[in-house]
């Protein structure tokens, strides 16, 4: 448990420092609204797949403080970094490669999280996540585009 919490806290610190220190291409409004959208998506998915169907979870079954550190510490900063450097205005192949690259990063991070015990599976498979990451990341891009149109 100690190793998994250290991995989580180091990950939260690294991602949040990176998100704070990077030169911003997103406005504060875009960061705020896209982060809220990412959190809502994560929470809805977790309510269904973790709490309802018990397919996976953080640390151990049920809700605990470490889950909140993971959700609120990782998702907004990772989402901000992903969207900040998304290649808007570039050819489609670059956008596809960017999403696939981030999907690979998410896959590796999830694999490490499993091995270190901060994440567990009960029926979920790592390859399910590999299939889910590209559409979820594309959804984040579409959300940012919608926010920009609405603004």
């Amino acid at each position: 448990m100690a190793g998994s919490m250290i991995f989580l806290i180091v990950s939260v610190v690294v991602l949040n420092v990176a998100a704070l220190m990077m030169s911003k291409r997103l406005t504060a409004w875009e960061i705020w609204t896209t982060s809220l959208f990412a959190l809502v998506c994560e929470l809805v998915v977790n309510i269904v797949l973790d709490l309802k169907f018990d397919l996976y979870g953080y640390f151990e079954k049920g809700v605990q403080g470490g889950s909140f550190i993971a959700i609120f510490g990782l998702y907004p900063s990772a989402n901000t970094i992903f969207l900040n450097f998304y290649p808007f205005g570039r050819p489609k192949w670059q956008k596809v490669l960017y999403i696939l690259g981030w999907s690979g990063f998410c896959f590796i991070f999830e694999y490490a999280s499993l091995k270190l015990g901060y994440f567990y599976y009960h029926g979920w498979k790592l390859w399910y996540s590999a299939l889910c990451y590209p559409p979820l990341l594309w959804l984040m891009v579409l959300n940012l585009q919608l926010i920009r149109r609405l603004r």
Side-chain angles (χ1 to χ4, degrees):
M1 178 74 159
S4 60
M5 188 56 82
I6 291 169
F7 174 71
L8 175 59
I9 299 220
V10 167
S11 299
V12 167
V13 169
V14 167
L15 282 173
N16 280 278
V17 167
L20 288 171
M21 301 296 288
M22 70 184 179
S23 59
K24 307 290 189 295
R25 297 178 185 169
L26 302 172
T27 66
W29 173 256
E30 291 169 342
I31 292 169
W32 176 252
T33 54
T34 58
S35 293
L36 287 176
F37 182 78
L39 284 170
V40 168
C41 285
E42 167 61 14
L43 290 170
V44 168
V45 167
N46 278 346
I47 287 169
V48 174
L49 298 180
D50 178 8
L51 300 177
K52 172 81 171 146
F53 294 112
D54 191 28
L55 293 175
Y56 61 75
Y58 298 99
F59 299 104
E60 56 194 45
K61 187 171 173 57
V63 178
Q64 59 288 144
S67 300
F68 290 103
I69 294 170
I71 293 167
F72 290 99
L74 296 174
Y75 287 89
S77 56
N79 180 67
T80 299
I81 295 167
F82 167 73
L83 290 173
N84 191 68
F85 296 108
Y86 184 79
F88 289 103
R90 299 289 178 113
K92 285 184 184 180
W93 68 267
Q94 288 182 355
K95 295 174 184 177
V96 169
L97 284 179
Y98 185 78
I99 287 176
L100 291 176
W102 266 87
S103 297
F105 168 77
C106 295
F107 180 86
I108 291 166
F109 187 85
E110 185 172 325
Y111 178 78
S113 300
L114 282 166
K115 291 300 178 189
L116 292 169
Y118 116 76
F119 202 60
Y120 68 86
Y121 289 161
H122 281 160
W124 191 258
K125 306 285 184 217
L126 190 57
W127 69 271
Y128 298 169
S129 295
L131 294 175
C132 291
Y133 285 128
L136 286 173
L137 291 168
W138 179 242
L139 181 62
M140 297 303 128
V141 173
L142 293 176
N143 178 63
L144 176 56
Q145 290 174 330
L146 175 64
I147 288 165
R148 286 177 172 171
R149 282 191 199 114
L150 292 175
R151 185 84 173 152

